[in-house]
PDB file of all heavy atoms in Angstrom:
ATOM      1  N   HIS A 259     -23.083 -26.366  -7.664  1.00  0.00           N
ATOM      2  CA  HIS A 259     -21.735 -26.011  -7.231  1.00  0.00           C
ATOM      3  C   HIS A 259     -21.642 -26.267  -5.734  1.00  0.00           C
ATOM      4  O   HIS A 259     -22.614 -26.737  -5.117  1.00  0.00           O
ATOM      5  CB  HIS A 259     -21.440 -24.536  -7.542  1.00  0.00           C
ATOM      6  CG  HIS A 259     -19.984 -24.179  -7.447  1.00  0.00           C
ATOM      7  ND1 HIS A 259     -19.053 -24.645  -8.346  1.00  0.00           N
ATOM      8  CD2 HIS A 259     -19.298 -23.401  -6.561  1.00  0.00           C
ATOM      9  CE1 HIS A 259     -17.853 -24.162  -8.027  1.00  0.00           C
ATOM     10  NE2 HIS A 259     -17.976 -23.423  -6.933  1.00  0.00           N
ATOM     11  N   HIS A 260     -20.486 -25.996  -5.138  1.00  0.00           N
ATOM     12  CA  HIS A 260     -20.347 -26.172  -3.684  1.00  0.00           C
ATOM     13  C   HIS A 260     -19.747 -24.922  -3.055  1.00  0.00           C
ATOM     14  O   HIS A 260     -18.705 -24.434  -3.478  1.00  0.00           O
ATOM     15  CB  HIS A 260     -19.443 -27.346  -3.349  1.00  0.00           C
ATOM     16  CG  HIS A 260     -19.088 -27.416  -1.882  1.00  0.00           C
ATOM     17  ND1 HIS A 260     -20.007 -27.756  -0.911  1.00  0.00           N
ATOM     18  CD2 HIS A 260     -17.924 -27.128  -1.229  1.00  0.00           C
ATOM     19  CE1 HIS A 260     -19.426 -27.697   0.280  1.00  0.00           C
ATOM     20  NE2 HIS A 260     -18.166 -27.325   0.111  1.00  0.00           N
ATOM     21  N   PHE A 261     -20.434 -24.388  -2.075  1.00  0.00           N
ATOM     22  CA  PHE A 261     -19.909 -23.349  -1.189  1.00  0.00           C
ATOM     23  C   PHE A 261     -20.177 -23.810   0.232  1.00  0.00           C
ATOM     24  O   PHE A 261     -21.252 -24.336   0.531  1.00  0.00           O
ATOM     25  CB  PHE A 261     -20.611 -22.001  -1.437  1.00  0.00           C
ATOM     26  CG  PHE A 261     -20.457 -21.458  -2.830  1.00  0.00           C
ATOM     27  CD1 PHE A 261     -21.553 -21.392  -3.686  1.00  0.00           C
ATOM     28  CD2 PHE A 261     -19.229 -21.015  -3.292  1.00  0.00           C
ATOM     29  CE1 PHE A 261     -21.420 -20.888  -4.970  1.00  0.00           C
ATOM     30  CE2 PHE A 261     -19.080 -20.509  -4.575  1.00  0.00           C
ATOM     31  CZ  PHE A 261     -20.178 -20.454  -5.416  1.00  0.00           C
ATOM     32  N   PRO A 262     -19.222 -23.624   1.150  1.00  0.00           N
ATOM     33  CA  PRO A 262     -19.428 -24.109   2.526  1.00  0.00           C
ATOM     34  C   PRO A 262     -20.541 -23.382   3.275  1.00  0.00           C
ATOM     35  O   PRO A 262     -21.093 -23.909   4.231  1.00  0.00           O
ATOM     36  CB  PRO A 262     -18.064 -23.876   3.194  1.00  0.00           C
ATOM     37  CG  PRO A 262     -17.391 -22.836   2.363  1.00  0.00           C
ATOM     38  CD  PRO A 262     -17.877 -23.058   0.965  1.00  0.00           C
ATOM     39  N   PHE A 263     -20.903 -22.170   2.841  1.00  0.00           N
ATOM     40  CA  PHE A 263     -21.897 -21.381   3.572  1.00  0.00           C
ATOM     41  C   PHE A 263     -23.297 -21.497   2.992  1.00  0.00           C
ATOM     42  O   PHE A 263     -24.234 -20.910   3.517  1.00  0.00           O
ATOM     43  CB  PHE A 263     -21.467 -19.911   3.639  1.00  0.00           C
ATOM     44  CG  PHE A 263     -20.742 -19.426   2.419  1.00  0.00           C
ATOM     45  CD1 PHE A 263     -21.435 -19.025   1.291  1.00  0.00           C
ATOM     46  CD2 PHE A 263     -19.349 -19.403   2.408  1.00  0.00           C
ATOM     47  CE1 PHE A 263     -20.762 -18.586   0.167  1.00  0.00           C
ATOM     48  CE2 PHE A 263     -18.667 -18.964   1.277  1.00  0.00           C
ATOM     49  CZ  PHE A 263     -19.382 -18.562   0.155  1.00  0.00           C
ATOM     50  N   THR A 264     -23.463 -22.224   1.885  1.00  0.00           N
ATOM     51  CA  THR A 264     -24.804 -22.437   1.321  1.00  0.00           C
ATOM     52  C   THR A 264     -24.978 -23.906   0.965  1.00  0.00           C
ATOM     53  O   THR A 264     -24.023 -24.605   0.631  1.00  0.00           O
ATOM     54  CB  THR A 264     -25.026 -21.584   0.061  1.00  0.00           C
ATOM     55  OG1 THR A 264     -23.957 -21.816  -0.877  1.00  0.00           O
ATOM     56  CG2 THR A 264     -25.103 -20.111   0.400  1.00  0.00           C
ATOM     57  N   GLU A 265     -26.222 -24.378   1.052  1.00  0.00           N
ATOM     58  CA  GLU A 265     -26.536 -25.772   0.708  1.00  0.00           C
ATOM     59  C   GLU A 265     -28.035 -25.897   0.424  1.00  0.00           C
ATOM     60  O   GLU A 265     -28.852 -25.665   1.327  1.00  0.00           O
ATOM     61  CB  GLU A 265     -26.134 -26.709   1.856  1.00  0.00           C
ATOM     62  CG  GLU A 265     -26.426 -28.171   1.583  1.00  0.00           C
ATOM     63  CD  GLU A 265     -25.655 -28.718   0.393  1.00  0.00           C
ATOM     64  OE1 GLU A 265     -24.490 -28.307   0.198  1.00  0.00           O
ATOM     65  OE2 GLU A 265     -26.240 -29.548  -0.333  1.00  0.00           O
ATOM     66  N   SER A 267     -26.002 -25.251  -3.394  1.00  0.00           N
ATOM     67  CA  SER A 267     -25.335 -24.089  -3.968  1.00  0.00           C
ATOM     68  C   SER A 267     -25.344 -24.182  -5.488  1.00  0.00           C
ATOM     69  O   SER A 267     -25.506 -25.265  -6.063  1.00  0.00           O
ATOM     70  CB  SER A 267     -23.881 -24.006  -3.481  1.00  0.00           C
ATOM     71  OG  SER A 267     -23.816 -23.997  -2.075  1.00  0.00           O
ATOM     72  N   GLY A 268     -25.180 -23.059  -6.127  1.00  0.00           N
ATOM     73  CA  GLY A 268     -25.161 -23.059  -7.581  1.00  0.00           C
ATOM     74  C   GLY A 268     -24.397 -21.882  -8.142  1.00  0.00           C
ATOM     75  O   GLY A 268     -24.098 -20.911  -7.446  1.00  0.00           O
ATOM     76  N   GLU A 269     -24.049 -22.003  -9.418  1.00  0.00           N
ATOM     77  CA  GLU A 269     -23.470 -20.897 -10.169  1.00  0.00           C
ATOM     78  C   GLU A 269     -24.439 -20.538 -11.287  1.00  0.00           C
ATOM     79  O   GLU A 269     -25.160 -21.400 -11.799  1.00  0.00           O
ATOM     80  CB  GLU A 269     -22.102 -21.266 -10.743  1.00  0.00           C
ATOM     81  CG  GLU A 269     -21.019 -21.378  -9.680  1.00  0.00           C
ATOM     82  CD  GLU A 269     -19.642 -21.621 -10.275  1.00  0.00           C
ATOM     83  OE1 GLU A 269     -19.571 -22.127 -11.416  1.00  0.00           O
ATOM     84  OE2 GLU A 269     -18.644 -21.310  -9.601  1.00  0.00           O
ATOM     85  N   GLY A 296     -22.445 -16.557  -7.982  1.00  0.00           N
ATOM     86  CA  GLY A 296     -22.692 -17.767  -7.205  1.00  0.00           C
ATOM     87  C   GLY A 296     -23.820 -17.528  -6.222  1.00  0.00           C
ATOM     88  O   GLY A 296     -24.074 -16.393  -5.811  1.00  0.00           O
ATOM     89  N   CYS A 297     -24.504 -18.610  -5.847  1.00  0.00           N
ATOM     90  CA  CYS A 297     -25.658 -18.434  -4.970  1.00  0.00           C
ATOM     91  C   CYS A 297     -25.988 -19.751  -4.276  1.00  0.00           C
ATOM     92  O   CYS A 297     -25.370 -20.782  -4.526  1.00  0.00           O
ATOM     93  CB  CYS A 297     -26.871 -17.952  -5.770  1.00  0.00           C
ATOM     94  SG  CYS A 297     -27.387 -19.111  -7.061  1.00  0.00           S
ATOM     95  N   GLY A 298     -26.983 -19.720  -3.401  1.00  0.00           N
ATOM     96  CA  GLY A 298     -27.432 -20.921  -2.734  1.00  0.00           C
ATOM     97  C   GLY A 298     -28.293 -20.610  -1.523  1.00  0.00           C
ATOM     98  O   GLY A 298     -28.465 -19.450  -1.139  1.00  0.00           O
ATOM     99  N   HIS A 301     -26.716 -22.056   4.646  1.00  0.00           N
ATOM    100  CA  HIS A 301     -26.509 -23.285   5.416  1.00  0.00           C
ATOM    101  C   HIS A 301     -27.069 -23.105   6.835  1.00  0.00           C
ATOM    102  O   HIS A 301     -26.869 -22.056   7.460  1.00  0.00           O
ATOM    103  CB  HIS A 301     -25.018 -23.607   5.486  1.00  0.00           C
ATOM    104  CG  HIS A 301     -24.711 -25.013   5.860  1.00  0.00           C
ATOM    105  ND1 HIS A 301     -24.941 -25.510   7.126  1.00  0.00           N
ATOM    106  CD2 HIS A 301     -24.202 -26.046   5.139  1.00  0.00           C
ATOM    107  CE1 HIS A 301     -24.572 -26.768   7.176  1.00  0.00           C
ATOM    108  NE2 HIS A 301     -24.132 -27.128   5.976  1.00  0.00           N
TER     109      HIS A 301
END
Side-chain angles (χ1 to χ4, degrees):
H259 194 69
H260 170 70
F261 300 111
F263 35 82
T264 53
E265 180 62 36
S267 304
E269 289 185 337
C297 61
H301 198 290

